[in-house]
């Protein structure tokens, strides 16, 4: 009986060891697959960006002014030429947005912003470029909620072609901003954003550089909280303001 019991224990231990090895191999294989997919995605984005840049360059050449000899040889088809240029400009407008999106997916936010701004210049009065600029403002390492709010407003108030998707994006911005404020409290301090023990430690050590860096961080944190409160106040007016504290659907003053 004892021999059978020991045999069962050895068998169970062997199964556990195999299971652990299998789990370790599965985790390693999953990490490798994820790494390969990430590498392929980066390569795809790189090639797509190069392709769009090449196409845009070719289209821009189509808008170059004709030489004097070429102009004189035109057989009075000026109207057709103007229509062709309008089509080229419309294509460039859309391609700049797509190129900006590719840069944004690559986390190259500065390049994405430049593409969206060029797109806005190509099609004044359209809201789509400003919606994309707002997304960049939110996704950048230092989330700029006020700037995103400004761009969403411009997108919705575009004179020729407002971008209605910005409305739902704007609501998500307001909700995320409110959550950030709640997480960092609504007190007039930077507690929870900056380590308040840093200046005391730096003063005790006589480290002026650390003190200056902390002061800069404190100011940046206070500025961010102040701007976040401006966005939150705008959210109150966006939803409608109520003086009744029992009204949960509105913001009470």
């Amino acid at each position: 009986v004892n021999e059978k019991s020991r045999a069962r224990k050895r068998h169970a231990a062997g199964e556990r060891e195999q299971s652990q090895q299998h789990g370790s191999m599965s985790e390693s294989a999953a990490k490798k697959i994820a790494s390969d997919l990430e590498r392929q995605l980066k390569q795809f984005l790189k090639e797509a960006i190069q392709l769009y840049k090449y196409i845009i360059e070719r289209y821009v050449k189509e808008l170059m002014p004709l030489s004097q000899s070429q102009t004189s040889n035109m057989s009075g088809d000026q109207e057709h030429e103007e229509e062709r240029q309008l089509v080229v400009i419309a294509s460039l407008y859309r391609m700049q947005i797509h190129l900006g999106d590719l840069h944004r997916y690559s986390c190259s936010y500065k390049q994405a912003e430049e593409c969206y701004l060029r797109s806005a210049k190509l099609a004044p009065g359209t809201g789509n470029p400003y919606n994309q600029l707002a997304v960049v403002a939110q996704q950048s390492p230092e989330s700029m909620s006020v700037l995103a709010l400004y761009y969403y407003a411009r997108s919705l108030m575009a004179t020729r072609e407002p971008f209605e998707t910005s409305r739902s994006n704007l609501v998500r911005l307001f909700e995320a901003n409110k959550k950030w404020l709640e997480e960092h409290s609504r007190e007039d301090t930077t507690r929870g954003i900056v380590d308040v023990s840093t200046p005391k430690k730096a003063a005790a050590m006589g480290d002026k550089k650390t003190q200056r860096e902390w002061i800069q961080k404190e100011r940046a944190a206070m500025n961010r909280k102040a701007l976040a409160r401006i966005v939150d106040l705008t959210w109150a007016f966006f939803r409608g303001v109520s003086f009744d504290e029992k009204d949960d659907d509105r913001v009470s003053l």
Side-chain angles (χ1 to χ4, degrees), residues 187-196 214 218 221-222 225:
E187 300 175 3
D188 293 328
T189 66
T190 56
R191 185 174 57 193
I193 305 176
V194 179
D195 185 2
V196 295
W214 182 88
E218 183 184 33
M222 293 176 67
K225 181 171 286 189

Side-chain angles (χ1 to χ4, degrees), residues 110-123:
K110 184 64 177 177
Q111 290 90 331
E113 183 180 3
E114 291 172 354
C115 290
Y116 296 143
L117 288 172
R118 283 195 291 267
S119 179
K121 291 179 180 179
L122 287 167

Side-chain angles (χ1 to χ4, degrees), residues 147-160:
L147 184 58
L149 171 61
Y150 165 74
Y151 281 134
Y152 280 137
R154 286 202 64 172
S155 175
L156 289 169
M157 298 174 67
T159 55
R160 187 162 61 88

